């Protein structure tokens, strides 16, 4: 059932209930019915928002793929530099396409792509507070020559966006392999290398057959304690 049919059926039910309430209690009955419906709608919205918040912050599982983690890392480093001088992010459009507001800028950083060119990363959210708390941060990567000055509202020159590897790009970069594909592949390789170095100790322990549980048992039994000189003299 689509949204339109659901709204139509809901309005029909409200009208029927209002007519019944009017014949039973008059105008007061209709007023009381509408007030009850309003309270139920507000209560349903609040409960839905509460359940969604619990799921979003405590139950939702983070995606475990390196492309997503690479994009998340760059988004986090951009949010760290949250300048108050940047406000909203816009897509310029052209004579046939209107200007579009993309959202509020909440982070910015400058990185280098595989072509050796500089790119500006704008992190933004379309929703306003408090709904922005439940919205995923989005990142747009664009050449410094393709947007206005870094103060106030920033306008990016383009008519639409394309998404690859967790990032948005302007439409003219759609088939730029070096700028998009090779850059993301290079960044993901770096992420993999650092992940391997971070996990090197665990991998070595597993290769030697030393599990964390076994290591804890050794520490508890104090099997690696070095005998003191006093004990050695008594044995002699």
């Amino acid at each position: 059932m689509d949204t339109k049919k659901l709204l139509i059926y809901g309005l029909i039910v409200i009208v029927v209930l209002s007519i019944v309430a009017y014949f039973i209690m008059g105008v007061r009955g209709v007023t009381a019915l509408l007030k009850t419906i309003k309270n139920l709608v507000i209560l349903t919205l609040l409960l839905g928002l509460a359940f969604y918040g619990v799921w979003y912050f405590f139950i939702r599982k983070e995606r475990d793929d390196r492309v997503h983690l690479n994009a998340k890392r760059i988004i986090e480093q951009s949010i760290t530099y949250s300048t108050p001088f940047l406000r909203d992010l816009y897509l310029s459009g052209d004579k046939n396409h209107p200007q579009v507001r993309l959202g509020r800028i909440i982070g910015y950083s400058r990185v280098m792509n595989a072509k050796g060119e500089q790119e500006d990363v704008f992190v933004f959210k379309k929703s306003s507070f408090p709904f922005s708390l439940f919205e995923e941060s989005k990142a747009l990567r664009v050449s410094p020559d393709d947007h206005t000055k870094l103060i106030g509202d920033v306008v990016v020159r383009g008519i639409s966006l394309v998404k690859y590897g967790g990032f948005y790009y302007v439409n003219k970069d759609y088939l730029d392999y070096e700028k998009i594909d090779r850059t993301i592949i290079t960044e993901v390789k770096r992420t993999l290398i650092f992940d391997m170095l971070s996990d090197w100790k665990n991998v070595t322990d597993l290769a030697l057959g030393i599990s964390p549980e076994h290591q804890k048992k050794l520490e508890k039994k104090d099997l690696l304690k070095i005998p003191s000189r006093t004990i050695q003299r008594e044995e002699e």
Side-chain angles (χ1 to χ4, degrees):
M1 183 181 296
D2 57 17
T3 306
K4 290 183 178 179
K5 289 183 179 179
L6 188 63
L7 289 174
I8 292 172
Y9 290 149
L11 289 174
I12 292 174
V13 171
I14 293 174
V15 171
V16 171
L17 291 176
S18 299
I19 294 173
V20 174
Y22 178 78
F23 281 108
I24 295 176
M25 300 179 62
V27 178
R28 291 184 179 180
V30 177
T31 304
L33 176 64
L34 295 177
K35 186 176 180 181
T36 302
I37 293 175
K38 183 187 73 173
N39 292 335
L40 288 175
V41 170
I42 294 174
L43 180 62
T44 302
L45 290 175
L46 291 176
L47 288 176
L49 188 62
F51 282 118
Y52 182 78
V54 171
W55 172 83
Y56 187 88
F57 290 110
F58 302 105
I59 302 176
R60 181 176 64 103
K61 293 182 179 179
E62 187 70 32
R63 289 175 56 189
D64 188 19
D65 67 83
R66 293 301 177 267
V67 176
H68 170 74
L69 293 177
N70 173 66
K72 181 181 177 183
R73 175 182 58 82
I74 295 179
I75 288 174
E76 289 177 348
Q77 76 182 25
S78 302
I79 292 177
T80 301
Y81 179 70
S82 181
T83 171
F85 299 107
L86 298 178
R87 294 186 297 185
D88 290 343
L89 186 65
Y90 289 87
L91 198 60
S92 66
D94 59 13
K95 62 181 181 180
N96 297 319
H97 301 83
Q99 186 181 76
V100 178
R101 178 183 178 274
L102 298 176
R104 183 74 174 185
I105 299 174
I106 61 172
Y108 165 82
S109 65
R110 177 163 290 184
V111 296
M112 192 80 71
N113 61 29
K115 297 175 69 173
E117 300 173 344
Q118 291 184 338
E119 283 185 340
D120 286 337
V121 180
F122 294 100
V123 180
F124 62 94
K125 288 187 177 183
K126 192 173 185 65
S127 303
S128 56
F129 184 84
F131 300 103
S132 59
L133 296 174
F134 306 105
E135 180 185 353
E136 293 285 348
S137 301
K138 304 174 184 64
L140 170 65
R141 298 178 69 156
V142 61
S143 170
D145 297 329
D146 290 334
H147 64 75
T148 56
K149 294 182 179 180
L150 295 172
I151 185 169
D153 295 336
V154 178
V155 180
V156 177
R157 300 178 184 91
I159 60 175
S160 64
L161 300 179
V162 293
K163 186 178 182 181
Y164 286 101
F167 300 101
Y168 288 92
Y169 300 86
V170 292
N171 57 289
K172 73 181 185 64
D173 296 331
Y174 177 65
L175 294 178
D176 195 329
Y177 176 82
E178 295 290 328
K179 191 171 187 177
I180 298 179
D181 303 65
R182 188 180 173 189
T183 298
I184 294 175
I185 292 171
T186 303
E187 291 174 348
V188 171
K189 283 182 179 179
R190 172 182 285 182
T191 302
L192 284 170
I193 292 172
F194 279 99
D195 285 347
M196 290 173 61
L197 292 175
S198 300
D199 297 335
W200 186 254
K201 181 182 182 303
N202 294 332
V203 174
T204 304
D205 290 345
L206 290 174
L208 296 175
I210 304 176
S211 64
E213 291 78 11
H214 181 62
Q215 189 67 30
K216 289 180 181 178
K217 290 180 181 179
L218 291 177
E219 292 175 355
K220 287 182 180 179
K221 292 182 178 180
D222 202 19
L223 295 179
L224 300 179
K225 184 177 181 181
I226 301 176
S228 62
R229 293 182 179 181
T230 306
I231 296 175
Q232 289 179 353
R233 289 175 181 175
E234 289 180 354
E235 291 178 353
E236 292 175 356

